[in-house]
Amino acid sequence: MILAAILASALPFEVHGAAMNEDDNQHSSARTEMVREQLLARDITDPNVLDAMRRVPRHRFVPSSEQRHAYRDTPLPLSHGQTISQPYIVALMTQLVRPRAEDRVLEVGTGSGYQAAVLAELVEHVYTVEIEADLARTSAQRLRELGYDNVTVRHGDGYVGWAEHAPFDIIVATAAPEAVPQPLLDQLNAGGRMVVPVGPTHSVQELRLIEKDDDGKITTRTIAPVRFVPMRRGSTPE
Ligand code: SAH
């Protein structure tokens, strides 16, 4: 009798736990598949980047109405007319900047915080700037809840970088300026890597990889045509 009572009272928790696990398992198998079909099948080869993409729960970064599409090979809408990039583009940009454990990173365009989380899996610290106050606030909260204590989110205009924490070993822009912002070039460390989509608003842009050598010399490589939301200017100063 006593045993039956204990089992009966334990049951609701077990059911709840099982439901949670099933949900998590579903997402994690979708994620494994995403890595295999969208990343490994293309040109993502860096094992650390692949691991990071396997770990970060992308479904937690998209609106609830989009969660069932979270692991599809496509960008998804966020609030305020913004978008979270397709998983492959996030992985490609991350691989291009060759993250190392000791690196300090600047991201321009926090959006959902997903790219920041992927980077945070791989480097020492990510500083990320978002011009839309609402998005900055919700992403900061989300990243905190998920335990990313090495990400700092700021509401502001990332075109001017974040001088207080410069120089950065890596700069990732996920909104497209018409030309590479000089403040970002200035805030890139010697030996640093920057990836940025450059081009006209609401058109196809080119993804560029910009590197600064130890003497401060800049080299630029064009990687691929991409389409990002425009980098806007002029938020209210903090
Ligand atoms: N990296 C994001 C996706 C970014 S979408 C993610 O992983 O979800 C581009 C974001 O850049 C949008 O949220 C937009 O509001 C922001 N943005 C546009 N111009 C900006 C600027 N000058 N400074 C900071 N953020 C900017």
Side-chain angles (χ1 to χ4, degrees):
M1 271 315 280
I2 292 173
L3 188 60
I6 291 170
L7 282 177
S9 71
L11 198 58
F13 296 102
E14 283 175 4
V15 168
H16 182 63
M20 294 269 290
N21 285 340
E22 195 180 306
D23 190 49
D24 280 353
N25 284 341
Q26 242 172 44
H27 283 300
S28 95
S29 61
R31 208 152 50 235
T32 307
E33 204 171 300
M34 167 191 92
V35 168
R36 198 179 51 240
E37 291 176 1
Q38 302 172 34
L39 310 184
L40 278 165
R42 295 184 177 133
D43 52 354
I44 307 301
T45 52
D46 181 330
N48 295 329
V49 174
L50 292 164
D51 274 351
M53 296 295 293
R54 266 184 212 110
R55 279 197 299 270
V56 180
R58 183 170 162 94
H59 61 283
R60 298 284 297 271
F61 291 83
V62 303
S64 46
S65 58
E66 299 294 336
Q67 271 195 9
R68 66 188 194 286
H69 307 313
Y71 297 100
R72 285 195 187 167
D73 192 13
T74 175
L76 292 171
L78 300 173
S79 60
H80 300 280
Q82 306 304 320
T83 50
I84 175 173
S85 300
Q86 168 189 11
Y88 170 69
I89 294 292
V90 174
L92 176 66
M93 290 171 80
T94 308
Q95 176 168 277
L96 283 168
V97 294
R98 304 193 297 277
R100 300 168 308 183
E102 65 275 20
D103 285 341
R104 299 165 69 258
V105 178
L106 172 70
E107 182 195 24
V108 181
T110 315
S112 67
Y114 178 68
Q115 171 79 74
V118 171
L119 288 162
E121 294 275 349
L122 300 167
V123 303
E124 186 174 298
H125 203 98
V126 179
Y127 297 89
T128 178
V129 187
E130 170 56 53
I131 204 164
E132 197 67 66
D134 241 24
L135 284 173
R137 198 175 43 245
T138 51
S139 299
Q141 189 185 341
R142 173 181 297 128
L143 288 160
R144 208 169 32 245
E145 281 169 10
L146 291 171
Y148 288 102
D149 53 8
N150 61 337
V151 182
T152 313
V153 182
R154 172 172 166 263
H155 168 223
D157 181 357
Y159 184 97
V160 297
W162 194 336
E164 200 184 332
H165 296 293
F168 300 99
D169 305 297
I170 291 174
I171 298 179
V172 173
T174 61
E178 294 200 342
V180 181
Q182 188 61 41
L184 298 186
L185 285 174
D186 294 342
Q187 291 175 26
L188 190 62
N189 209 354
R193 292 83 63 202
M194 163 157 48
V195 69
V196 53
V198 183
T201 303
H202 303 302
S203 172
V204 174
Q205 303 113 11
E206 54 182 49
L207 189 65
R208 292 190 196 160
L209 175 64
I210 298 172
E211 303 200 40
K212 191 185 265 190
D213 72 10
D214 290 341
D215 303 321
K217 191 169 141 278
I218 300 282
T219 54
T220 300
R221 195 149 66 89
T222 298
I223 305 295
V226 285
R227 197 181 277 265
F228 277 79
V229 299
M231 189 180 286
R232 286 177 285 147
R233 294 305 318 276
S235 73
T236 45
E238 290 297 287

